[in-house]
Amino acid sequence: MSSDFIGLHEGKWTTEPVAARMDRDRFVVEAQEGSDFWEKTFYGFCHRNGHAMLAPWDGTEAIQISFDLSSFTELYDQAGLMLWYGEDQWIKAGVEVNDGVAHVGAVVTDTYSDWSLSPVPEWGGRIVTIRASYSNEAVVIRARTDEHAWRTIRVARFAYPTNKQAGPFLCSPKRAGFEVAFTKWTSTAPDEDLHTDPPITD
C-alpha cells in the first residue's frame, strides 16, 4: 500500500460507506445519506452512523489527512480527520458546508458533543490537510490548504494514553451521492510546540 495512505491496510470502518475505491492516487469514498456523528448536545439526538476508517494511533507521531473540497456543495457535507477512543469519546475535525459556505471546525465529544467552526470561503475547491499532534493528554489540531498556511483550529483534551485510533472520516447528513477524494493519510514528526507551525511535507 502506498506510503501516502498509511492506515488503509489495517484501518476498519466504524460504519461501511456506500462505496470506497482507490482511483489512481486517491481514495474515493461515497457516504450514505443520513450519516453523521453527534452525541446529544442541543439537538438531543445521537448519530453514530458516520464513516470513519480507523487505525491504531499511539500519538508519538502527528497524523495528517488530506482531501479535495471540490465535491462539497450541500448543507453539512463534511470530511476530515477522526480521533477515536470510543463511541462517547472522539474528535472529528475537518471542513463542513454550513449555510452555503465551507467552514473549518471540530466536534469534540466526551459523552456530549460540542461544535466550533469558522468560515473559509477562500478554501473552496482546494486540497485541505487536517493535522493532529498529541501531547500532555491533549491534541493540537491544525488545518491548511495547498495554497494557505497552517492555522490552529483547536486545542482539546484527549486524555487517552493507549487504545487511541485515527483516520479519515466523512458524513452526509442531508443527501445521497456525496463522494470525497482523500489524497493522503500520513504521519509526521509531532509539533515542536503550540506556537510553531509544523513543516509542510507535501
Side-chain angles (χ1 to χ4, degrees), residues 59-64 131-134 186-192 198-199 201:
T60 58
E61 292 188 296
I63 193 85
Q64 296 186 174
R131 170 188 174 92
S133 185
Y134 183 77
T186 58
S187 60
T188 71
D191 291 357
E192 292 183 15
T201 57

Side-chain angles (χ1 to χ4, degrees), residues 138-160:
V139 287
V140 178
I141 300 171
R142 307 180 197 258
R144 65 173 179 85
T145 79
D146 51 347
E147 285 195 340
H148 300 91
W150 288 111
R151 63 169 71 183
T152 301
I153 302 306
R154 192 76 176 259
V155 177
R157 182 168 169 79
F158 201 62
Y160 309 109

Side-chain angles (χ1 to χ4, degrees), residues 152-187:
T152 301
I153 302 306
R154 192 76 176 259
V155 177
R157 182 168 169 79
F158 201 62
Y160 309 109
T162 61
N163 299 319
K164 296 187 297 298
Q165 295 177 284
F169 89 89
L170 74 160
C171 302
S172 185
K174 295 293 186 181
R175 67 168 171 129
F178 176 52
E179 283 192 340
V180 177
F182 293 94
T183 60
K184 286 195 175 182
W185 177 0
T186 58
S187 60

Side-chain angles (χ1 to χ4, degrees), residues 134-138 157:
Y134 183 77
S135 181
N136 299 326
E137 297 190 332
R157 182 168 169 79

